[in-house]
């Protein structure tokens, strides 16, 4: 996992008032809760007193209280109450719990995987989607998130894995694709076509061709299929641990304004998203090794260009990680 990045970890609706929620994210057991103002907080789900899981405790005055001896922590991880020591006892810093910076935006809970003090302001999302109607389906894949992301950047598999859905038409010949990277987005333009005996076009021959529809990816784990200005499919990849990933697959539309009709339209889009992603899942879950890297010894082809770029940037970001965390 890449440190010092914002990850989607939950959907907003999953963290309910007065209901601490325990989940594993980024290889760690965490507890999330809302304070009295509705703000979401996250600390490690292991009581520093005697190791109990805090998620079966309760929310008291906006703090998370352990079910065993009712010690309380605020969202910064500071221990604010040890009932057995009395109301006015001074509480040592040794009782501080590991906390994470959390934001709530675009219907998701985001967590900064690093020191809270280092948390940056900007979330790696596509801001314009905040005005879109959407519907989300969730899938759990038994795969490392890096392999799940690579699959979404894989333009070669489409006519084979999705033969009867988005891959209809037997466009097996991969021209390019054209992969570009700017400060925050890796963009892929796809030019797959029927194989009529012609050689595939090189990326350099396609570079200047205008194409609105494209795949877009923002590190560490947000993907968008820009189908048209008004229809987009997004995936937030949520790392659980080294072998499990959640996918929040979202159909976004900005054509229909009526809430009810938008819901129905997006719901239909979600049925399709769910089906297509399941076609991918059965294949990706078999991939070995589980975790992607630059040095797998795989024999790649020009069509794998976007995956090569992804690996390159991922390795760079991983090597930039401060050694202290
Ligand atoms: S184990 Fe949590 S307060 Fe004692
Ligand atoms: Fe696919």
């Amino acid at each position: 996992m890449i440190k010092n990045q914002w990850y989607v970890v939950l959907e907003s609706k999953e963290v309910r008032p007065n209901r601490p929620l325990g989940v594993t994210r980024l290889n760690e057991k965490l507890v999330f809760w809302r304070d009295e103002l509705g703000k979401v907080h996250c600390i490690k789900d292991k009581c520093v007193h005697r190791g109990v899981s805090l998620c079966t405790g309760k929310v008291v005055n906006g703090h998370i209280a352990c079910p065993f001896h009712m010690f309380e922590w605020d969202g910064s991880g500071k221990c604010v109450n040890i009932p057995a020591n009395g109301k006015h006892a001074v509480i040592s810093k040794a009782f501080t719990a590991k906390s994470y910076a959390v934001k709530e935006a675009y219907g998701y809970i985001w967590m900064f995987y690093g020191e809270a003090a280092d948390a940056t302001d900007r979330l790696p999302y596509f801001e314009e989607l905040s005005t879109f109607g959407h519907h989300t389906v969730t899938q759990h894949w038994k795969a490392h998130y890096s392999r799940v992301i690579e699959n979404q950047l894989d333009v070669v598999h489409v006519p084979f894995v999705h033969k009867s859905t988005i891959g209809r038409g037997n466009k097996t010949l991969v021209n390019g694709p054209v992969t570009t990277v700017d400060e925050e987005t890796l963009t892929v333009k796809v030019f797959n076509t029927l194989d009529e005996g012609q050689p595939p076009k090189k990326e350099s021959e396609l570079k200047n061709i205008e194409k609105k529809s494209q795949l877009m990816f923002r590190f560490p784990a947000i993907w968008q299929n820009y189908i048209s200005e008004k229809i987009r499919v997004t995936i937030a990849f949520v790392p659980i641990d080294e072998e499990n990933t959640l996918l929040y697959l979202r159909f976004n539309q900005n054509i229909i304004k009526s809430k009810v009709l938008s819901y129905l339209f997006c719901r239909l889009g979600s049925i399709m998203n769910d089906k297509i992603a399941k076609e991918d899942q059965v294949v990706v879950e078999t991939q070995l090794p589980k975790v992607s890297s630059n040095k797998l010894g795989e024999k790649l082809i020009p069509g794998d260009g976007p995956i090569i770029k992804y690996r390159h940037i991922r390795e760079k970001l991983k090597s930039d990680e401060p050694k202290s965390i």
Side-chain angles (χ1 to χ4, degrees):
M1 324 264 171
I2 308 168
K3 291 263 171 95
N4 293 321
Q5 302 274 341
W6 284 102
Y7 290 81
V8 166
V9 285
L10 289 161
E11 276 199 288
S12 285
K13 65 181 182 198
E14 293 178 274
V15 188
R16 291 152 63 189
N18 295 314
R19 293 268 187 92
L21 176 67
V23 288
T24 299
R25 296 288 185 264
L26 296 133
N27 266 331
E28 200 164 355
K29 281 183 73 187
L30 302 166
V31 59
F32 291 82
W33 76 97
R34 287 187 189 275
D35 65 21
E36 58 272 68
L37 299 174
K39 188 172 167 7
V40 179
H41 303 281
C42 168
I43 65 173
K44 195 171 169 167
D45 190 16
K46 185 180 170 208
C47 182
V48 299
H49 179 217
R50 285 180 52 217
V52 160
S53 177
L54 299 171
C55 67
T56 58
K58 53 185 181 181
V59 180
V60 178
N61 300 324
H63 309 137
I64 184 82
C66 178
F68 209 178
H69 312 102
M70 286 302 280
F71 292 20
E72 291 173 33
W73 287 267
D74 69 13
S76 73
K78 185 177 168 203
C79 184
V80 292
N81 188 17
I82 299 180
N85 288 356
K87 274 194 176 71
H88 302 297
V90 175
I91 299 174
S92 150
K93 280 205 172 117
F95 288 89
T96 302
K98 169 74 187 151
S99 67
Y100 287 98
V102 171
K103 285 191 189 216
E104 185 167 12
Y106 311 110
Y108 294 121
I109 308 293
W110 301 73
M111 187 185 108
F112 188 76
Y113 183 51
E115 295 301 326
D118 297 333
T120 48
D121 273 345
R122 192 165 165 72
L123 296 173
Y125 203 63
F126 301 95
E127 282 161 28
E128 72 272 20
L129 297 182
S130 57
T131 60
F132 282 49
H134 59 77
H135 183 271
T136 308
V137 284
T138 307
Q139 290 187 2
H140 181 156
W141 290 22
K142 291 189 181 310
H144 188 264
Y145 81 95
S146 58
R147 288 296 204 177
V148 185
I149 288 170
E150 286 187 356
N151 171 66
Q152 295 305 132
L153 299 173
D154 182 329
V155 303
V156 181
H157 79 287
V158 179
F160 310 110
V161 172
H162 306 296
K163 221 187 192 90
S164 61
T165 53
I166 48 168
R168 269 195 303 259
N170 205 30
K171 294 182 180 173
T172 56
L173 191 78
V174 177
N175 291 316
V178 175
T179 312
T180 51
V181 180
D182 68 16
E183 267 172 28
E184 56 181 359
T185 312
L186 187 158
T187 303
V188 184
K189 290 184 182 156
V190 186
F191 298 93
N192 292 8
T193 189
L194 270 179
D195 185 349
E196 290 166 322
Q198 77 279 35
K201 289 203 169 92
K202 293 200 177 86
E203 184 174 12
S204 55
E205 297 172 69
L206 301 162
K207 263 202 159 87
N208 298 323
I209 297 181
E210 274 293 314
K211 200 165 197 285
K212 265 275 180 194
S213 64
Q214 50 198 7
L215 306 177
M216 303 167 90
F217 177 74
R218 289 199 177 155
F219 275 90
I222 298 290
W223 175 90
Q224 174 176 213
N225 183 359
Y226 187 112
I227 296 169
S228 72
E229 201 187 324
K230 292 181 183 293
I231 297 187
R232 323 280 182 87
V233 173
T234 50
I235 305 178
F237 306 91
V238 182
I240 297 174
D241 57 27
E242 296 296 332
E243 300 196 353
N244 293 279
T245 303
L246 270 192
L247 289 80
Y248 292 124
L249 292 140
R250 202 178 256 189
F251 185 88
N252 307 267
Q253 71 82 26
N254 203 12
I255 301 168
I256 301 167
K257 297 294 172 201
S258 146
K259 275 203 167 155
V260 176
L261 294 179
S262 170
Y263 173 80
L264 291 173
F265 182 38
C266 292
R267 185 81 192 77
L268 277 178
S270 273
I271 291 169
M272 198 59 185
N273 282 346
D274 195 41
K275 180 175 162 63
I276 293 164
K278 280 178 178 151
E279 292 171 344
D280 290 309
Q281 182 183 8
V282 288
V283 181
V284 173
E285 286 186 348
T286 69
Q287 256 182 313
L288 290 174
K290 287 275 183 194
V291 183
S292 150
S293 91
N294 257 346
K295 303 177 190 76
L296 297 181
E298 293 178 346
K299 308 292 176 241
L300 302 177
I301 58 174
D304 294 320
I307 293 169
I308 295 168
K309 277 257 164 51
Y310 167 75
R311 288 182 182 175
H312 185 76
I313 300 170
R314 182 172 134 79
E315 292 300 315
K316 166 135 188 20
L317 290 172
K318 277 168 68 75
S319 67
D320 285 348
E321 287 171 11
K323 301 291 176 256
S324 56
I325 18 180

